[in-house]
Amino acid sequence: MNRAEKATLQLQAVSVLRMLKETRTYDELAEVTDLPAGDLNRYVNGHVLPSTDRAEAVVEGVGREELADELQARTRLDTEGYVDNSDIVFDQSFLGLVAPVAAETFDFDHPDVVLTAATDGITLAAAMASYFGARCAYAKKSKETAVEEFIEARQRLASGIELTYYLPSSAIRSGETVLVVDDLIRSGETQELLLEIAHDADADVGGVFALISAGDEGIERAKARTEAPVGALASFE
C-alpha cells in the first residue's frame, strides 16, 4: 500500500467513525470499535488520523457491521416481500461510505469499469467507480438512438417474459476488468445478464456486489457464473 492509498484508507475510516458518532457517545463508540474514547474524539474531530491498522479495522470490520445495520434499518419490506431501499439509493454520501467498506471486505480486483443495470444501481455504481477511479457503465432495456453498436444480453424468465439489456460496445474494452454491482440481488437474473455482457466484451470479471441480498438464490447463481468474489453488504430472508 503506497502513501496515497494509506491516506485514502485513513480518511475513509474517519468518515465511517463520523457517521457512527452521529447516533452514539464516544464511550458507546469505543465499545463498538474497541478503540479508546479519547483517540476516537481526536479522529472524529480531525486532530489526527488513525494508524493504517486501525483504519483498516474500522473500514473492514466495524464499518461493514454498522453499515449493514444501517441498511437494514433504512430498508422496508412490504407484505408481499418487495424491497424498498429508496432511502439508501438516493443517499450518495452514504453510498460513498459503502464503497471502501465493500472493497476492503470482499477484496475485489481493481476494476477499469463498474457495470450495473439501469436504473436503481446507477448511484451505487457511481460511488464504486469514484472510489476505484474507474469508469461507470450501465446497461439499459432499450437502445440509445445515436449508438450504432451494442452488446446485447437476453434471457427468458421463468414467468415467460423476455428480459434484454443493451450496452454500447464502446463502454467496455477487451481485457478490461469489470466489477458488476447492483442495489439488490434476488433471483440473480440481472447479474447473469451483466456477467454475459462482460463476457461478450471479452472482459475479466473482478467481482459481483450488491447492497442487499434478498435470499441466497441470486448470490449462488452469480457464484456459479464467475470465480471472482461475490457478496452483499446486508441480506434479508
Side-chain angles (χ1 to χ4, degrees), residues 195-206:
L195 288 168
E196 182 178 335
I197 286 173
H199 178 269
D200 290 348
D202 195 27
D204 298 321
V205 175

Side-chain angles (χ1 to χ4, degrees), residues 122-237:
I122 292 176
T123 51
L124 173 62
M128 298 294 285
S130 176
Y131 169 74
F132 283 112
R135 304 195 309 280
C136 180
Y138 54 93
K140 300 173 66 175
K141 295 180 181 178
S142 59
K143 294 182 177 181
E144 296 286 353
T145 304
V147 178
E148 295 184 359
E149 296 185 9
F150 291 88
I151 302 171
E152 179 179 326
R154 187 187 308 269
Q155 184 176 122
R156 186 176 296 278
L157 308 184
S159 62
I161 297 174
E162 194 170 77
L163 180 61
T164 306
Y165 277 105
Y166 304 94
L167 182 76
S169 299
S170 60
I172 303 174
R173 293 187 283 271
S174 175
E176 289 190 314
T177 297
V178 173
L179 175 63
V180 173
V181 306
D182 209 348
D183 65 311
L184 176 70
I185 181 169
R186 184 189 298 274
S187 66
E189 292 163 341
T190 299
Q191 287 71 32
E192 278 193 334
L193 289 169
L194 294 175
L195 288 168
E196 182 178 335
I197 286 173
H199 178 269
D200 290 348
D202 195 27
D204 298 321
V205 175
V208 178
F209 174 68
L211 282 175
I212 299 167
S213 169
D216 296 327
E217 180 185 356
I219 293 289
E220 295 305 318
R221 197 165 178 173
K223 286 181 177 179
R225 292 292 300 269
T226 180
E227 296 181 358
V230 177
L233 197 58
S235 62
F236 292 89
E237 296 299 330

